[in-house]
Amino acid sequence: MNKTLASQIALSLVPNIGAVQAKILMDCFGDAATVLKTKIETLSKLEGIGEIRAKCIRDFNQYKKVEQEIAFIEKYKITPLFLTHSNYPKRLLNCYDPPTMLYYKGNADLNNARVISVIGTRSHTEYGKQVTEKLLMDLESTNVLVVSGLAFGIDGIAHKAALKNHLPTVGVLAHGMDTIYPTQHSLLAKDIISQGGLITEFASHTKPDKHNFPTRNRIVAGMSDATIVIETGIKGGSMITAELANGYNKDVFAFPGKTTDPKSFGCNYLIRNNKAMLLTDAEQLVQIMGWEEKKRRPITPQKELFIFLTENEKIIIEILKEKESVTIDELNQKSKLSSSAVAAATLNLELQNIIASMPGKRYRLT
């Protein structure tokens, strides 16, 4: 048995150790095996862990379940993606509660240069269907990765439209990989695997219980550059996902609808309260996100201006030299600095007029 993988799955199954606590432990100890071997006295002193959680770690004994999970993923050729895996969706690492373990089946690059989540109501109108289909048809040339929740309504339409327009698409599940919910989307799920993938943080035999869906929604929001709300009422999963995306400092867009249509109350609310940018078409999205194809101008850095920069600021500048513009997520990933260190460095560079911020949370050299 792969001992490293066994330790990683075990950590994800420890009672009372959620995503936030697992991230704290990994930041402190570096690998799951070390966490599981650490003494209670040491673990309990960590902020956010305490004695009860420390005892849960040391007393963990569900290794039979761990073995069963490893056998399951090997049998069905599922890829386990622990927090430290090279193919783990890096955008999630910028969230405070990234899933400890993800189970993935597919061929899409989860760290694609451009990722959007498309969400909306299960009981859509014809307007919502047309908006979704046209948006993805017009995005065909962008090679954007389309993420959604494989639910009825806008989710399913988004997946189908992505497939039709040759865009990779990933369905995020609220249950184990041994089942598909809703069952009516079983064939769609197979198509998605062939041109994208399915991903979940839930171990096999986890049922699609109600409380799993908000947990699932944070992955939909966190692994994307932008969340696009097509059509939704004032309450429901789409509104939760939009709020989560805002909390993760992601761009949120919403298509407006009739003021008298309950199916558009949620979108109109998000726009009215500055929780989402009003979106009308794909061209606008591409422009705001800085995804236009531009001829890159050669950059001749004026080294004499960079003499008094900190090491962190120099790292940011070197990354910005590589491309016309870079997202905050890319800066976090490539710099290997903490998000707070990146924020401080970019702010100082802006104040010195060395870099400029752009729409879509992007930065460029001035």
Side-chain angles (χ1 to χ4, degrees), residues 93-283:
L93 295 176
N94 297 319
C95 305
Y96 67 90
D97 56 351
T100 309
M101 175 66 79
L102 288 166
Y103 300 98
Y104 177 56
K105 187 174 179 64
N107 52 37
D109 179 5
L110 300 176
N111 292 297
N112 194 53
R114 301 165 181 176
V115 185
I116 60 171
S117 58
V118 180
I119 59 174
T121 180
R122 285 172 168 78
S123 54
H124 65 282
T125 66
E126 184 60 27
Y127 165 76
K129 180 175 184 290
Q130 290 176 3
V131 166
T132 307
E133 291 176 341
K134 187 173 191 314
L135 173 70
L136 295 180
M137 180 179 68
D138 293 344
L139 287 172
E140 182 179 4
S141 63
T142 64
N143 194 37
V144 66
L145 172 63
V146 180
V147 177
S148 200
L150 197 65
F152 284 129
I154 299 300
D155 286 22
I157 294 169
H159 289 305
K160 291 174 185 175
L163 293 170
K164 182 179 179 181
N165 292 286
H166 314 291
L167 292 170
T169 184
V170 169
V172 186
L173 309 180
H175 48 77
M177 198 73 84
D178 54 312
T179 187
I180 293 296
Y181 178 85
T183 56
Q184 292 91 328
H185 279 173
S186 296
L187 291 177
L188 174 59
K190 289 182 180 179
D191 291 337
I192 290 173
I193 289 173
S194 68
Q195 191 180 305
L198 299 178
I199 196 166
T200 181
E201 70 175 315
F202 297 103
S204 60
H205 305 297
T206 303
K207 296 180 180 179
D209 295 327
K210 187 176 181 180
H211 60 269
N212 289 347
F213 287 88
T215 304
R216 180 275 307 271
N217 291 348
R218 87 185 195 287
I219 300 175
V220 174
M223 68 181 289
S224 307
D225 297 313
T227 294
I228 302 168
V229 189
I230 301 289
E231 188 177 46
T232 184
I234 201 68
K235 293 182 179 179
S238 297
M239 295 296 283
I240 293 172
T241 307
E243 291 289 353
L244 288 165
N246 274 307
Y248 292 147
N249 199 31
K250 303 283 186 176
D251 287 307
V252 180
F253 298 88
F255 278 88
K258 293 179 180 178
T259 58
T260 56
D261 186 355
K263 303 290 185 187
S264 290
F265 283 178
C267 290
N268 293 340
Y269 169 86
L270 292 170
I271 295 167
R272 184 172 66 249
N273 290 278
N274 296 317
K275 294 186 174 185
M277 287 178 273
L278 187 153
L279 188 65
T280 57
D281 53 47
E283 184 180 358

Side-chain angles (χ1 to χ4, degrees), residues 285-303:
L285 175 67
V286 169
Q287 183 178 17
I288 292 174
M289 297 303 295
W291 290 344
E292 307 104 316
E293 294 296 331
K294 294 179 179 177
K295 289 186 178 179
R296 189 177 156 208
R297 291 177 299 172
I299 297 171
T300 307
Q302 299 179 34
K303 294 182 180 179

